[in-house]
Amino acid sequence: VEVKGAALNVLIYMMQDKPSASLAVDSGVLKTMCTIAEKAFKEGPERLAGELALQAIAKIPQNYPGGVRALVKKGLDEKQLNCLFAAMHSDLVQLELQGDFEKALKVASECIAMNPTAPEFYQISARIQSSQGNLEGAIWNMRKAVKYGKKDLQHKAFLVQLLIQSGRPKYLADAQSLLQSIIDQDKLEDTSNKPPSLEDSADLGEDMRVESLSKELRASQNYMLLVKADLMLRDIEKAAKHVEEWLSKSPRSAAALYSRAKVLEHKGRYQDALNAVDESLQVNPQRPESLYLRAYLLYRQDKVDDALDECQKVVRLLRRDVARSERVPNLHLLMGKIYENKNDFEKAVQSYSMLIKADPLRPMPHFRKARALVKAGRDQKANSEFGEVLRLWTDACFERKTCKDYFYRNNAAAEALRFIGERCEGVECRIPPTTSPNPNNAKESSDLIPPPVAINGELDTRDMCGMYAKLKSAS
């Protein structure tokens, strides 16, 4: 084993240049490595050599992209090819963990070119593209992963998450359809082989109880996503139908009761929604989403002091479990609104600052903070936040020439832009407004107006209004 291990370790370094790698391929040594590597996941004296073989094979796509194709042409059998692709997949995961996304995507593309029906390579491409904000590319790849890995529910679940994340009506409808097919498939399986309920599973073996729990959790997640898609499409009646179907299977589900409250909230029935969320909290008093929704419903009923008390409960809960804070992303937005309602503008500024810290690329929290600063009499500080709002909007639409459509579709952003415009009435911009962008002057216009420079966190009104003039000219 030591001799084989040392030889294979040398081969890893032979992959550093094309001539050496070509020699290894042509001599048949790499084919032998694949054969040895089949034992990588088995116990026995060959285990170390097999693991080293996997390491060596994983170097092929990085250092000698043609090496894999050469191996395929040499006539590797199915087991050896599977071993080779397993090594490459392992290497892809490592590249992703290291943050080398470009190289990982390149290797994944090569793998797909050689094995276009392997779902795992589409899936890892989608995961990387999603982390880079390329939702369109991620969705395309996950559709392929679902097509070639039809029985893998993880592929379908990830595709659903991406479709819902996009927020586009067509994709939301696709998510609805996909989730409904998953739920219907589960119903067929339950009819043919109905699993015991959790309450009746005490006498079963541990594996059976775990399987039963796993199915219930999966069903809960599917219904939760389905109701979310329904509500995003404003299909309230369909959402209500799905919630009641969910509750008929899991009447004591805190998540299902919470979803019933969300449906009632969308119907404007705030007191009924409050009753439903209280039922959810009876099942799970430590559920941050339910506590937040209770605060929001109280706020909608003008019970701002009670709403603030509920928000403080969520804050204390999240101090003990920070990981769950992403489940209530608008907590500090609600607290900021409540403080503004109480004319406590300094605390409102603090709340909006917390919201910005969690997601600095959302324009509206910056706008709300700026407006609260104005109410607190801190105009120069407010200008710097208004400038950040304008910069984020400009980055989102100016170069793409989509500002008009952006503000047409986003009422809150349009109102915010009007508010900033009113502050700029009668102000002489430090740099004159640009003309409407077109292919000939958009880049030039972008260069003419540099980003505002804040001194000690304050921005001159003329600079802020220069940013406004540039954006307004494009919208």
Side-chain angles (χ1 to χ4, degrees):
V1 172
E2 288 183 5
V3 172
K4 288 182 178 179
L8 291 168
N9 209 26
V10 169
L11 280 172
I12 292 176
Y13 296 99
M14 286 181 65
M15 287 293 147
Q16 300 304 313
D17 61 83
K18 185 173 180 178
S20 297
S22 298
L23 177 62
V25 171
D26 294 338
S27 66
V29 173
L30 283 179
K31 185 171 181 177
T32 303
M33 288 170 64
C34 287
T35 303
I36 296 172
E38 286 179 45
K39 305 176 185 294
F41 303 108
K42 299 176 184 177
E43 298 297 332
E46 299 285 344
R47 185 174 180 83
L48 175 60
E51 289 176 350
L52 286 167
L54 278 177
Q55 292 177 35
I57 293 167
K59 294 283 183 181
I60 296 171
Q62 288 187 58
N63 301 315
Y64 177 35
V68 177
R69 293 188 187 88
L71 280 171
V72 173
K73 288 179 181 178
K74 297 257 327 159
L76 296 182
D77 60 34
E78 185 176 354
K79 284 184 179 180
Q80 292 167 334
L81 280 174
N82 287 341
C83 165
L84 180 59
F85 282 116
M88 294 170 72
H89 186 263
S90 174
D91 195 47
L92 274 172
V93 172
Q94 287 302 313
L95 286 170
E96 183 185 8
L97 290 174
Q98 293 165 9
D100 196 345
F101 299 131
E102 293 305 320
K103 185 176 283 188
L105 284 172
K106 182 180 178 183
V107 174
S109 296
E110 290 181 357
C111 293
I112 289 169
M114 289 179 291
N115 190 358
T117 60
E120 60 269 22
F121 297 123
Y122 292 105
Q123 193 265 350
I124 199 168
S125 296
R127 196 165 64 223
I128 294 169
Q129 289 172 320
S130 171
S131 68
Q132 292 180 312
N134 182 6
L135 276 180
E136 288 293 330
I139 288 170
W140 187 91
N141 274 299
M142 278 315 300
R143 288 190 193 277
K144 289 285 188 181
V146 168
K147 177 181 178 180
Y148 296 121
K150 294 179 180 178
K151 294 182 179 180
D152 194 325
L153 290 175
Q154 289 185 341
H155 292 334
K156 291 182 178 179
F158 187 34
L159 175 57
V160 164
Q161 290 173 22
L162 293 173
L163 293 169
I164 290 176
Q165 187 180 343
S166 77
R168 294 176 58 181
K170 181 181 182 303
Y171 286 168
L172 290 170
D174 289 345
Q176 278 182 316
S177 177
L178 190 54
L179 282 164
Q180 192 62 62
S181 71
I182 295 171
I183 290 170
D184 291 343
Q185 181 61 39
D186 285 344
K187 287 179 184 176
L188 288 174
E189 292 178 3
D190 289 345
T191 302
S192 59
N193 186 22
K194 183 174 173 56
S197 66
L198 293 179
E199 291 81 2
D200 297 332
S201 64
D203 296 330
L204 300 174
E206 182 65 23
D207 289 345
M208 186 71 86
R209 287 200 300 273
V210 169
E211 181 182 354
S212 180
L213 177 61
S214 176
K215 283 189 175 182
E216 185 165 320
L217 289 173
R218 189 178 73 201
S220 178
Q221 183 184 42
N222 289 337
Y223 273 113
M224 192 183 307
L225 290 170
L226 183 56
V227 173
K228 182 176 182 178
D230 293 337
L231 293 177
M232 289 178 73
L233 285 168
R234 305 194 187 286
D235 197 342
I236 312 302
E237 293 308 317
K238 186 175 283 188
K241 172 177 173 278
H242 289 143
V243 167
E244 297 311 315
E245 184 180 298
W246 182 6
L247 281 166
S248 70
K249 297 181 177 184
S250 307
R252 294 290 294 165
S253 166
L257 292 165
Y258 165 84
S259 294
R260 174 187 275 173
K262 288 289 292 182
V263 170
L264 291 167
E265 178 236 317
H266 276 72
K267 289 183 175 182
R269 295 165 54 184
Y270 299 129
Q271 187 55 51
D272 290 337
L274 195 59
N275 295 337
V277 85
D278 284 343
E279 287 186 69
S280 173
L281 287 166
Q282 286 176 11
V283 178
N284 183 358
Q286 302 296 309
R287 195 168 192 272
E289 302 98 309
S290 299
L291 287 167
Y292 168 77
L293 181 56
R294 190 172 199 282
Y296 176 76
L297 292 166
L298 289 166
Y299 171 75
R300 291 305 299 261
Q301 293 178 305
D302 294 324
K303 300 176 181 178
V304 290
D305 290 328
D306 293 338
L308 186 57
D309 288 342
E310 293 298 319
C311 287
Q312 296 292 1
K313 288 181 185 177
V314 182
V315 170
R316 289 193 293 271
L317 177 63
L318 295 178
R319 281 176 187 157
R320 300 192 299 270
D321 190 356
V322 179
R324 289 200 288 176
S325 60
E326 63 184 23
R327 290 158 63 175
V328 282
N330 290 323
L331 171 64
H332 291 288
L333 173 62
L334 178 58
M335 292 180 74
K337 289 179 179 180
I338 292 171
Y339 284 127
E340 283 195 78
N341 186 283
K342 294 166 70 69
N343 292 324
D344 192 341
F345 301 118
E346 289 298 337
K347 285 190 176 178
V349 168
Q350 292 173 20
S351 292
Y352 294 137
S353 295
M354 292 294 293
L355 189 62
I356 291 167
K357 183 179 179 181
D359 188 356
L361 298 181
R362 288 172 65 185
M364 289 308 292
H366 289 280
F367 172 76
R368 289 187 174 277
K369 180 180 177 181
R371 194 174 59 183
L373 284 165
V374 169
K375 293 176 181 177
R378 298 163 63 189
D379 281 22
Q380 293 303 312
K381 290 280 188 184
N383 282 344
S384 116
E385 289 298 328
F386 283 131
E388 185 63 14
V389 176
L390 292 164
R391 185 189 68 77
L392 290 169
W393 281 335
T394 301
D395 288 348
C397 72
F398 189 82
E399 291 297 334
R400 298 184 183 91
K401 309 174 192 63
T402 57
C403 293
K404 186 174 182 178
D405 184 64
Y406 180 91
F407 289 103
Y408 175 77
R409 295 178 179 277
N410 192 328
N411 290 332
E415 286 294 325
L417 186 63
R418 278 192 286 273
F419 182 92
I420 297 173
E422 290 172 4
R423 288 181 59 78
C424 289
E425 288 181 5
V427 175
E428 183 181 353
C429 299
R430 191 177 294 277
I431 297 176
T434 61
T435 57
S436 299
N438 60 54
N440 295 322
N441 73 5
K443 180 64 173 68
E444 179 185 350
S445 300
S446 179
D447 291 338
L448 281 174
I449 302 181
V453 178
I455 301 174
N456 296 324
E458 298 182 356
L459 183 69
D460 190 287
T461 304
R462 291 171 296 173
D463 286 323
M464 186 268 287
C465 290
M467 291 288 289
Y468 166 77
K470 172 186 176 181
L471 188 62
K472 184 62 179 175
S473 72
S475 58

